[in-house]
Amino acid sequence: MSERRRDHPTPGRGTGTGRPRPQNSGEHPGTANYPSDEPGYRRARRDSPTPSANRYLPPLHEDHDDGRGTDPSQRRIDAEAAHRITVTRAAALRSREMGSRMYGLVHRAATADGADKSGLTALTWPVVANFAVDAAMAVALANTLFFAAASAESKSKVALYLLITIAPFAVIAPLIGPALDRLQHGRRVALAASFGLRTVLALVLIMNYDSATGSYPSWVLYPCALGMMVLSKSFSVLRSAVTPRVMPPTIDLVRVNSRLTMFGLLGGTIVGGGIAAGVEYAMTNLFRQPGAVYVIIAMSVAGAWLAMQIPRWVEVTAGEVPATLSYHDHSGQPRRMHEPLRGATSALRQPLGRNIITSLWGNCTIKAMVGFLFLYPAFVAKSHDATGWEQLAMLGLIGAAAGIGNFAGNFTAARLKLGRPSALVVRCTIAVSAAALVAAVAGTLVVVAVAALITSGASAIAKASLDASLQDDLPEESRASAFGRSESVLQLAWVLGGAVGVLVYTELWVGFTAITALLIPLLAQTIVSFRGDSLIPGFGGNRPVMVEQEPVDHTVSSVVTGK
């Protein structure tokens, strides 16, 4: 026995030839398989979902009993009481049972894959609240904002509408991403503030509501509508920066973002929008009050509280390297960037690689079409001599097509392997541009609805592909910054498409001809970037697929290179 022990020592215990067990494999008794660090700073390209290297999460412990087991004595009492239940009690018990089952279904979906331990569940509910606030705002301001501007006869009023509601956001959006990089320990507070400020704006609207005419003064309506739009977009950018910090170890960012979008659409847009519409109808007819605005207040207060329940580890910013869209070729210069420079607050930055830039250009093209479809059909519906039901049917057809496409796109994206995400984005961009061109030629409502279906589905798939590129081609310390920057650019593209929808003439073929003229150059830049070139210097695909970190400016570059 002793001879065998000497010849075959137990690995990791004795000295001699036994080698110690590695401690960085993420295998801890009683915890999930949670890698503590990555070898190098690049992940292998994903063929299937793999455990993440999210170093910001604490160890995830095993599931524990939540104490919700069923007492056998209670089951026996319920069985004996079942014989004495009346019809009313039976209906009440049935409703409670259905409600419990529905709650259990939602709870299991929200906490699946360890989302309750990583913090993803805590982020899910503010996302749902944000979707609900957006839906309630659309209900509250539908007749007083979009349709009122659409029916204006003079071009000056339409231009004023564009100036107040869209143009300022085009200036604010590029500032959100860089501001996030400087936001050190206030991301949860910033998320809560985006809800709190919307609560204040909703209170301002209520205090200035004219019950006799059912409208608001223009000097109150437009600034409040602008503020709510900017705060909603800011929440989206902030959420994109927080999401990588709460990613469970067993799924990737594509699945995480698809899950958040599905919860937002189902719980926020559909359920929250339905509640807002019902309250608006009841309070308008009974009390002559803007019911949907009260729903905005309730949802915003709830969203602010839920945002503060997100785990504290999303605040950790140590070791982050900001991402940048531009790229300067320093391939001929030697680098020694293993240490940050003294006296520099942000010595390095991470340029985005070719696949990410290609995916970003393609998503911007699709987002411009999404913004156009969000505003332009409302203007077309109101400008024509049609009854209210005909206008509702026109918008309902396009909205239903967009909703079906969004669900189908998210469902498909969650099940795709996404082996070559940039190539998939190029195909989606071509499909959307072709749909816009066909709608411009046909100029019929049915073709426009098909274009909305294709656009919303392609938008979901292209966004998932962009998420895959960001996760695969960037080091972990730059992903949060890259998600924030990319979301800011996408929101700016949405504003650009919406501006076309506001300014262009309200005839279907004219409008879609205008948006097609915008999409074609963006499509060309996407294809050229995919092939490794660029139409815009410094912002195209003439860069490596995976770019090394570089100094922030030329002064730092000269110190690093010694020149």
Side-chain angles (χ1 to χ4, degrees), residues 439-486:
V441 173
T444 61
L445 182 61
V446 175
V447 177
V448 170
V450 174
L453 176 69
I454 295 173
T455 300
S456 56
S459 176
I461 295 174
K463 183 60 170 65
S465 301
L466 174 61
D467 295 342
S469 296
L470 288 169
Q471 178 172 329
D472 287 345
D473 296 348
L474 285 177
E476 182 188 358
E477 61 266 21
S478 298
R479 288 174 191 161
S481 175
F483 269 86
R485 293 292 180 95
S486 63

mmCIF file of all heavy atoms in Angstrom, residues 439-486:
data_model
loop_
_atom_site.group_PDB
_atom_site.id
_atom_site.type_symbol
_atom_site.label_atom_id
_atom_site.label_comp_id
_atom_site.label_asym_id
_atom_site.label_seq_id
_atom_site.Cartn_x
_atom_site.Cartn_y
_atom_site.Cartn_z
ATOM 1 N N ALA A 439 -41.676 49.806 -50.362
ATOM 2 C CA ALA A 439 -42.767 50.649 -49.864
ATOM 3 C C ALA A 439 -42.810 51.984 -50.596
ATOM 4 O O ALA A 439 -43.897 52.536 -50.849
ATOM 5 C CB ALA A 439 -42.609 50.875 -48.367
ATOM 6 N N ALA A 440 -41.642 52.527 -50.961
ATOM 7 C CA ALA A 440 -41.615 53.784 -51.708
ATOM 8 C C ALA A 440 -42.195 53.605 -53.103
ATOM 9 O O ALA A 440 -42.898 54.490 -53.616
ATOM 10 C CB ALA A 440 -40.180 54.306 -51.788
ATOM 11 N N VAL A 441 -41.934 52.456 -53.725
ATOM 12 C CA VAL A 441 -42.451 52.207 -55.076
ATOM 13 C C VAL A 441 -43.947 51.925 -55.038
ATOM 14 O O VAL A 441 -44.727 52.449 -55.855
ATOM 15 C CB VAL A 441 -41.687 51.044 -55.736
ATOM 16 C CG1 VAL A 441 -42.323 50.668 -57.069
ATOM 17 C CG2 VAL A 441 -40.219 51.417 -55.923
ATOM 18 N N ALA A 442 -44.388 51.085 -54.086
ATOM 19 C CA ALA A 442 -45.795 50.696 -54.025
ATOM 20 C C ALA A 442 -46.664 51.807 -53.442
ATOM 21 O O ALA A 442 -47.704 52.149 -53.992
ATOM 22 C CB ALA A 442 -45.949 49.422 -53.204
ATOM 23 N N GLY A 443 -46.255 52.362 -52.310
ATOM 24 C CA GLY A 443 -47.007 53.447 -51.691
ATOM 25 C C GLY A 443 -48.359 53.043 -51.156
ATOM 26 O O GLY A 443 -49.276 53.871 -51.112
ATOM 27 N N THR A 444 -48.524 51.788 -50.726
ATOM 28 C CA THR A 444 -49.799 51.307 -50.187
ATOM 29 C C THR A 444 -49.633 50.954 -48.717
ATOM 30 O O THR A 444 -48.529 50.654 -48.241
ATOM 31 C CB THR A 444 -50.293 50.076 -50.955
ATOM 32 O OG1 THR A 444 -49.336 49.022 -50.829
ATOM 33 C CG2 THR A 444 -50.491 50.413 -52.427
ATOM 34 N N LEU A 445 -50.761 50.949 -47.999
ATOM 35 C CA LEU A 445 -50.733 50.693 -46.567
ATOM 36 C C LEU A 445 -50.302 49.265 -46.256
ATOM 37 O O LEU A 445 -49.569 49.026 -45.286
ATOM 38 C CB LEU A 445 -52.119 50.972 -45.975
ATOM 39 C CG LEU A 445 -52.245 50.807 -44.463
ATOM 40 C CD1 LEU A 445 -51.316 51.769 -43.732
ATOM 41 C CD2 LEU A 445 -53.694 51.027 -44.024
ATOM 42 N N VAL A 446 -50.718 48.309 -47.064
ATOM 43 C CA VAL A 446 -50.368 46.915 -46.811
ATOM 44 C C VAL A 446 -48.861 46.710 -46.933
ATOM 45 O O VAL A 446 -48.231 46.037 -46.105
ATOM 46 C CB VAL A 446 -51.130 45.986 -47.780
ATOM 47 C CG1 VAL A 446 -50.673 44.541 -47.605
ATOM 48 C CG2 VAL A 446 -52.628 46.093 -47.553
ATOM 49 N N VAL A 447 -48.248 47.286 -47.941
ATOM 50 C CA VAL A 447 -46.797 47.163 -48.118
ATOM 51 C C VAL A 447 -46.059 47.860 -46.974
ATOM 52 O O VAL A 447 -45.024 47.371 -46.500
ATOM 53 C CB VAL A 447 -46.378 47.740 -49.475
ATOM 54 C CG1 VAL A 447 -44.866 47.691 -49.641
ATOM 55 C CG2 VAL A 447 -47.054 46.983 -50.609
ATOM 56 N N VAL A 448 -46.587 48.978 -46.504
ATOM 57 C CA VAL A 448 -45.976 49.668 -45.368
ATOM 58 C C VAL A 448 -46.030 48.785 -44.121
ATOM 59 O O VAL A 448 -45.070 48.723 -43.346
ATOM 60 C CB VAL A 448 -46.676 51.013 -45.123
ATOM 61 C CG1 VAL A 448 -46.227 51.627 -43.804
ATOM 62 C CG2 VAL A 448 -46.400 51.972 -46.269
ATOM 63 N N ALA A 449 -47.159 48.097 -43.929
ATOM 64 C CA ALA A 449 -47.275 47.191 -42.781
ATOM 65 C C ALA A 449 -46.255 46.055 -42.886
ATOM 66 O O ALA A 449 -45.643 45.667 -41.887
ATOM 67 C CB ALA A 449 -48.690 46.637 -42.689
ATOM 68 N N VAL A 450 -46.057 45.518 -44.092
ATOM 69 C CA VAL A 450 -45.046 44.468 -44.285
ATOM 70 C C VAL A 450 -43.650 45.027 -44.008
ATOM 71 O O VAL A 450 -42.807 44.354 -43.392
ATOM 72 C CB VAL A 450 -45.149 43.891 -45.709
ATOM 73 C CG1 VAL A 450 -44.008 42.914 -45.976
ATOM 74 C CG2 VAL A 450 -46.489 43.198 -45.912
ATOM 75 N N ALA A 451 -43.402 46.247 -44.436
ATOM 76 C CA ALA A 451 -42.104 46.879 -44.163
ATOM 77 C C ALA A 451 -41.889 47.055 -42.665
ATOM 78 O O ALA A 451 -40.770 46.864 -42.157
ATOM 79 C CB ALA A 451 -42.021 48.231 -44.876
ATOM 80 N N ALA A 452 -42.954 47.412 -41.931
ATOM 81 C CA ALA A 452 -42.837 47.531 -40.474
ATOM 82 C C ALA A 452 -42.554 46.182 -39.833
ATOM 83 O O ALA A 452 -41.768 46.087 -38.875
ATOM 84 C CB ALA A 452 -44.123 48.130 -39.906
ATOM 85 N N LEU A 453 -43.190 45.122 -40.349
ATOM 86 C CA LEU A 453 -42.940 43.775 -39.841
ATOM 87 C C LEU A 453 -41.474 43.374 -40.037
ATOM 88 O O LEU A 453 -40.812 42.887 -39.112
ATOM 89 C CB LEU A 453 -43.864 42.783 -40.545
ATOM 90 C CG LEU A 453 -43.690 41.305 -40.207
ATOM 91 C CD1 LEU A 453 -44.131 41.023 -38.784
ATOM 92 C CD2 LEU A 453 -44.469 40.436 -41.187
ATOM 93 N N ILE A 454 -40.968 43.593 -41.245
ATOM 94 C CA ILE A 454 -39.574 43.237 -41.544
ATOM 95 C C ILE A 454 -38.611 44.083 -40.723
ATOM 96 O O ILE A 454 -37.621 43.576 -40.168
ATOM 97 C CB ILE A 454 -39.304 43.405 -43.051
ATOM 98 C CG1 ILE A 454 -40.145 42.402 -43.858
ATOM 99 C CG2 ILE A 454 -37.825 43.230 -43.366
ATOM 100 C CD1 ILE A 454 -40.061 42.611 -45.356
ATOM 101 N N THR A 455 -38.898 45.370 -40.594
ATOM 102 C CA THR A 455 -37.998 46.265 -39.878
ATOM 103 C C THR A 455 -37.905 45.901 -38.407
ATOM 104 O O THR A 455 -36.801 45.848 -37.832
ATOM 105 C CB THR A 455 -38.464 47.719 -40.027
ATOM 106 O OG1 THR A 455 -38.467 48.076 -41.413
ATOM 107 C CG2 THR A 455 -37.562 48.670 -39.267
ATOM 108 N N SER A 456 -39.037 45.655 -37.751
ATOM 109 C CA SER A 456 -38.999 45.345 -36.322
ATOM 110 C C SER A 456 -38.322 44.006 -36.061
ATOM 111 O O SER A 456 -37.550 43.868 -35.097
ATOM 112 C CB SER A 456 -40.419 45.342 -35.745
ATOM 113 O OG SER A 456 -41.243 44.429 -36.457
ATOM 114 N N GLY A 457 -38.592 43.001 -36.909
ATOM 115 C CA GLY A 457 -37.919 41.718 -36.744
ATOM 116 C C GLY A 457 -36.424 41.816 -36.976
ATOM 117 O O GLY A 457 -35.609 41.281 -36.206
ATOM 118 N N ALA A 458 -36.031 42.524 -38.047
ATOM 119 C CA ALA A 458 -34.610 42.696 -38.337
ATOM 120 C C ALA A 458 -33.917 43.516 -37.260
ATOM 121 O O ALA A 458 -32.745 43.275 -36.941
ATOM 122 C CB ALA A 458 -34.438 43.362 -39.703
ATOM 123 N N SER A 459 -34.622 44.481 -36.672
ATOM 124 C CA SER A 459 -34.033 45.296 -35.618
ATOM 125 C C SER A 459 -33.670 44.451 -34.403
ATOM 126 O O SER A 459 -32.584 44.619 -33.810
ATOM 127 C CB SER A 459 -35.004 46.413 -35.211
ATOM 128 O OG SER A 459 -34.504 47.160 -34.135
ATOM 129 N N ALA A 460 -34.555 43.533 -34.021
ATOM 130 C CA ALA A 460 -34.276 42.673 -32.866
ATOM 131 C C ALA A 460 -33.093 41.749 -33.137
ATOM 132 O O ALA A 460 -32.215 41.572 -32.285
ATOM 133 C CB ALA A 460 -35.521 41.866 -32.513
ATOM 134 N N ILE A 461 -33.044 41.158 -34.327
ATOM 135 C CA ILE A 461 -31.955 40.232 -34.657
ATOM 136 C C ILE A 461 -30.633 40.988 -34.778
ATOM 137 O O ILE A 461 -29.588 40.526 -34.294
ATOM 138 C CB ILE A 461 -32.274 39.490 -35.962
ATOM 139 C CG1 ILE A 461 -33.514 38.599 -35.770
ATOM 140 C CG2 ILE A 461 -31.098 38.641 -36.411
ATOM 141 C CD1 ILE A 461 -33.997 37.933 -37.035
ATOM 142 N N ALA A 462 -30.657 42.164 -35.409
ATOM 143 C CA ALA A 462 -29.419 42.944 -35.563
ATOM 144 C C ALA A 462 -28.898 43.427 -34.221
ATOM 145 O O ALA A 462 -27.677 43.446 -33.989
ATOM 146 C CB ALA A 462 -29.676 44.128 -36.492
ATOM 147 N N LYS A 463 -29.790 43.821 -33.311
ATOM 148 C CA LYS A 463 -29.341 44.260 -31.984
ATOM 149 C C LYS A 463 -28.717 43.097 -31.217
ATOM 150 O O LYS A 463 -27.692 43.264 -30.527
ATOM 151 C CB LYS A 463 -30.529 44.822 -31.202
ATOM 152 C CG LYS A 463 -30.148 45.364 -29.822
ATOM 153 C CD LYS A 463 -29.146 46.496 -29.921
ATOM 154 C CE LYS A 463 -28.948 47.205 -28.585
ATOM 155 N NZ LYS A 463 -28.334 46.329 -27.574
ATOM 156 N N ALA A 464 -29.294 41.901 -31.321
ATOM 157 C CA ALA A 464 -28.696 40.732 -30.677
ATOM 158 C C ALA A 464 -27.316 40.434 -31.266
ATOM 159 O O ALA A 464 -26.387 40.051 -30.540
ATOM 160 C CB ALA A 464 -29.620 39.525 -30.817
ATOM 161 N N SER A 465 -27.168 40.616 -32.566
ATOM 162 C CA SER A 465 -25.869 40.391 -33.201
ATOM 163 C C SER A 465 -24.845 41.417 -32.737
ATOM 164 O O SER A 465 -23.662 41.091 -32.525
ATOM 165 C CB SER A 465 -26.016 40.447 -34.727
ATOM 166 O OG SER A 465 -26.932 39.468 -35.185
ATOM 167 N N LEU A 466 -25.264 42.665 -32.568
ATOM 168 C CA LEU A 466 -24.354 43.683 -32.032
ATOM 169 C C LEU A 466 -23.923 43.326 -30.617
ATOM 170 O O LEU A 466 -22.740 43.469 -30.261
ATOM 171 C CB LEU A 466 -25.047 45.052 -32.061
ATOM 172 C CG LEU A 466 -24.279 46.209 -31.406
ATOM 173 C CD1 LEU A 466 -22.949 46.451 -32.103
ATOM 174 C CD2 LEU A 466 -25.135 47.483 -31.408
ATOM 175 N N ASP A 467 -24.859 42.864 -29.798
ATOM 176 C CA ASP A 467 -24.511 42.439 -28.439
ATOM 177 C C ASP A 467 -23.494 41.303 -28.468
ATOM 178 O O ASP A 467 -22.563 41.269 -27.650
ATOM 179 C CB ASP A 467 -25.765 41.991 -27.692
ATOM 180 C CG ASP A 467 -26.738 43.126 -27.462
ATOM 181 O OD1 ASP A 467 -26.322 44.298 -27.572
ATOM 182 O OD2 ASP A 467 -27.918 42.847 -27.184
ATOM 183 N N ALA A 468 -23.665 40.363 -29.401
ATOM 184 C CA ALA A 468 -22.721 39.248 -29.506
ATOM 185 C C ALA A 468 -21.334 39.744 -29.885
ATOM 186 O O ALA A 468 -20.318 39.278 -29.346
ATOM 187 C CB ALA A 468 -23.226 38.232 -30.531
ATOM 188 N N SER A 469 -21.249 40.697 -30.809
ATOM 189 C CA SER A 469 -19.952 41.243 -31.194
ATOM 190 C C SER A 469 -19.288 41.979 -30.036
ATOM 191 O O SER A 469 -18.076 41.849 -29.811
ATOM 192 C CB SER A 469 -20.119 42.194 -32.386
ATOM 193 O OG SER A 469 -20.584 41.521 -33.529
ATOM 194 N N LEU A 470 -20.066 42.742 -29.280
ATOM 195 C CA LEU A 470 -19.503 43.463 -28.146
ATOM 196 C C LEU A 470 -18.967 42.501 -27.089
ATOM 197 O O LEU A 470 -17.919 42.754 -26.483
ATOM 198 C CB LEU A 470 -20.572 44.375 -27.531
ATOM 199 C CG LEU A 470 -20.967 45.609 -28.349
ATOM 200 C CD1 LEU A 470 -22.208 46.255 -27.770
ATOM 201 C CD2 LEU A 470 -19.831 46.614 -28.397
ATOM 202 N N GLN A 471 -19.665 41.418 -26.873
ATOM 203 C CA GLN A 471 -19.216 40.464 -25.868
ATOM 204 C C GLN A 471 -17.995 39.675 -26.339
ATOM 205 O O GLN A 471 -17.080 39.408 -25.566
ATOM 206 C CB GLN A 471 -20.344 39.499 -25.515
ATOM 207 C CG GLN A 471 -19.925 38.448 -24.495
ATOM 208 C CD GLN A 471 -21.079 37.615 -24.009
ATOM 209 O OE1 GLN A 471 -22.201 38.095 -23.933
ATOM 210 N NE2 GLN A 471 -20.829 36.363 -23.675
ATOM 211 N N ASP A 472 -17.960 39.307 -27.604
ATOM 212 C CA ASP A 472 -16.885 38.455 -28.106
ATOM 213 C C ASP A 472 -15.582 39.209 -28.343
ATOM 214 O O ASP A 472 -14.497 38.684 -28.100
ATOM 215 C CB ASP A 472 -17.308 37.786 -29.420
ATOM 216 C CG ASP A 472 -18.321 36.686 -29.192
ATOM 217 O OD1 ASP A 472 -18.481 36.258 -28.043
ATOM 218 O OD2 ASP A 472 -18.955 36.258 -30.177
ATOM 219 N N ASP A 473 -15.667 40.439 -28.836
ATOM 220 C CA ASP A 473 -14.485 41.131 -29.349
ATOM 221 C C ASP A 473 -13.919 42.182 -28.407
ATOM 222 O O ASP A 473 -13.002 42.908 -28.792
ATOM 223 C CB ASP A 473 -14.810 41.788 -30.694
ATOM 224 C CG ASP A 473 -15.159 40.765 -31.762
ATOM 225 O OD1 ASP A 473 -14.932 39.568 -31.528
ATOM 226 O OD2 ASP A 473 -15.657 41.164 -32.826
ATOM 227 N N LEU A 474 -14.475 42.296 -27.200
ATOM 228 C CA LEU A 474 -13.981 43.298 -26.262
ATOM 229 C C LEU A 474 -13.561 42.642 -24.952
ATOM 230 O O LEU A 474 -14.171 41.652 -24.526
ATOM 231 C CB LEU A 474 -15.067 44.350 -25.965
ATOM 232 C CG LEU A 474 -15.353 45.384 -27.047
ATOM 233 C CD1 LEU A 474 -16.500 46.277 -26.602
ATOM 234 C CD2 LEU A 474 -14.120 46.215 -27.356
ATOM 235 N N PRO A 475 -12.555 43.189 -24.285
ATOM 236 C CA PRO A 475 -12.237 42.699 -22.940
ATOM 237 C C PRO A 475 -13.329 43.105 -21.964
ATOM 238 O O PRO A 475 -14.080 44.056 -22.196
ATOM 239 C CB PRO A 475 -10.914 43.407 -22.616
ATOM 240 C CG PRO A 475 -10.935 44.633 -23.453
ATOM 241 C CD PRO A 475 -11.650 44.266 -24.718
ATOM 242 N N GLU A 476 -13.386 42.386 -20.873
ATOM 243 C CA GLU A 476 -14.474 42.604 -19.919
ATOM 244 C C GLU A 476 -14.494 44.019 -19.368
ATOM 245 O O GLU A 476 -15.562 44.597 -19.150
ATOM 246 C CB GLU A 476 -14.331 41.602 -18.771
ATOM 247 C CG GLU A 476 -15.428 41.702 -17.734
ATOM 248 C CD GLU A 476 -15.138 40.829 -16.538
ATOM 249 O OE1 GLU A 476 -14.113 40.123 -16.551
ATOM 250 O OE2 GLU A 476 -15.931 40.869 -15.582
ATOM 251 N N GLU A 477 -13.314 44.630 -19.174
ATOM 252 C CA GLU A 477 -13.267 45.940 -18.551
ATOM 253 C C GLU A 477 -13.787 47.056 -19.452
ATOM 254 O O GLU A 477 -13.928 48.194 -19.010
ATOM 255 C CB GLU A 477 -11.831 46.267 -18.116
ATOM 256 C CG GLU A 477 -10.831 46.317 -19.254
ATOM 257 C CD GLU A 477 -10.114 44.994 -19.463
ATOM 258 O OE1 GLU A 477 -10.662 43.955 -19.019
ATOM 259 O OE2 GLU A 477 -9.039 44.989 -20.081
ATOM 260 N N SER A 478 -14.079 46.763 -20.719
ATOM 261 C CA SER A 478 -14.575 47.790 -21.635
ATOM 262 C C SER A 478 -16.010 47.539 -22.099
ATOM 263 O O SER A 478 -16.546 48.349 -22.852
ATOM 264 C CB SER A 478 -13.660 47.882 -22.875
ATOM 265 O OG SER A 478 -12.357 48.265 -22.514
ATOM 266 N N ARG A 479 -16.615 46.451 -21.680
ATOM 267 C CA ARG A 479 -17.941 46.116 -22.214
ATOM 268 C C ARG A 479 -19.013 47.080 -21.749
ATOM 269 O O ARG A 479 -19.872 47.492 -22.533
ATOM 270 C CB ARG A 479 -18.310 44.688 -21.805
ATOM 271 C CG ARG A 479 -17.520 43.626 -22.545
ATOM 272 C CD ARG A 479 -17.817 42.247 -22.014
ATOM 273 N NE ARG A 479 -16.869 41.266 -22.553
ATOM 274 C CZ ARG A 479 -16.647 40.087 -22.016
ATOM 275 N NH1 ARG A 479 -17.298 39.731 -20.917
ATOM 276 N NH2 ARG A 479 -15.781 39.258 -22.555
ATOM 277 N N ALA A 480 -18.999 47.448 -20.458
ATOM 278 C CA ALA A 480 -20.037 48.353 -19.958
ATOM 279 C C ALA A 480 -19.974 49.696 -20.683
ATOM 280 O O ALA A 480 -21.003 50.238 -21.100
ATOM 281 C CB ALA A 480 -19.872 48.552 -18.447
ATOM 282 N N SER A 481 -18.762 50.243 -20.860
ATOM 283 C CA SER A 481 -18.612 51.507 -21.581
ATOM 284 C C SER A 481 -19.044 51.366 -23.034
ATOM 285 O O SER A 481 -19.715 52.250 -23.583
ATOM 286 C CB SER A 481 -17.163 51.974 -21.506
ATOM 287 O OG SER A 481 -16.963 53.129 -22.281
ATOM 288 N N ALA A 482 -18.693 50.245 -23.676
ATOM 289 C CA ALA A 482 -19.055 50.044 -25.085
ATOM 290 C C ALA A 482 -20.562 49.939 -25.254
ATOM 291 O O ALA A 482 -21.123 50.462 -26.221
ATOM 292 C CB ALA A 482 -18.367 48.791 -25.623
ATOM 293 N N PHE A 483 -21.235 49.278 -24.328
ATOM 294 C CA PHE A 483 -22.689 49.184 -24.422
ATOM 295 C C PHE A 483 -23.332 50.552 -24.273
ATOM 296 O O PHE A 483 -24.289 50.887 -24.988
ATOM 297 C CB PHE A 483 -23.219 48.228 -23.364
ATOM 298 C CG PHE A 483 -23.335 46.809 -23.841
ATOM 299 C CD1 PHE A 483 -22.254 45.954 -23.777
ATOM 300 C CD2 PHE A 483 -24.515 46.322 -24.354
ATOM 301 C CE1 PHE A 483 -22.329 44.658 -24.219
ATOM 302 C CE2 PHE A 483 -24.617 45.022 -24.805
ATOM 303 C CZ PHE A 483 -23.519 44.184 -24.732
ATOM 304 N N GLY A 484 -22.831 51.371 -23.355
ATOM 305 C CA GLY A 484 -23.378 52.717 -23.205
ATOM 306 C C GLY A 484 -23.150 53.575 -24.431
ATOM 307 O O GLY A 484 -24.043 54.296 -24.892
ATOM 308 N N ARG A 485 -21.926 53.513 -24.997
ATOM 309 C CA ARG A 485 -21.625 54.313 -26.191
ATOM 310 C C ARG A 485 -22.480 53.870 -27.379
ATOM 311 O O ARG A 485 -23.018 54.693 -28.128
ATOM 312 C CB ARG A 485 -20.142 54.175 -26.539
ATOM 313 C CG ARG A 485 -19.204 54.789 -25.525
ATOM 314 C CD ARG A 485 -19.332 56.301 -25.511
ATOM 315 N NE ARG A 485 -18.439 56.893 -24.535
ATOM 316 C CZ ARG A 485 -17.235 57.348 -24.816
ATOM 317 N NH1 ARG A 485 -16.754 57.261 -26.034
ATOM 318 N NH2 ARG A 485 -16.495 57.897 -23.876
ATOM 319 N N SER A 486 -22.582 52.559 -27.580
ATOM 320 C CA SER A 486 -23.344 52.068 -28.731
ATOM 321 C C SER A 486 -24.817 52.438 -28.612
ATOM 322 O O SER A 486 -25.456 52.812 -29.599
ATOM 323 C CB SER A 486 -23.185 50.549 -28.863
ATOM 324 O OG SER A 486 -23.727 49.879 -27.737
#
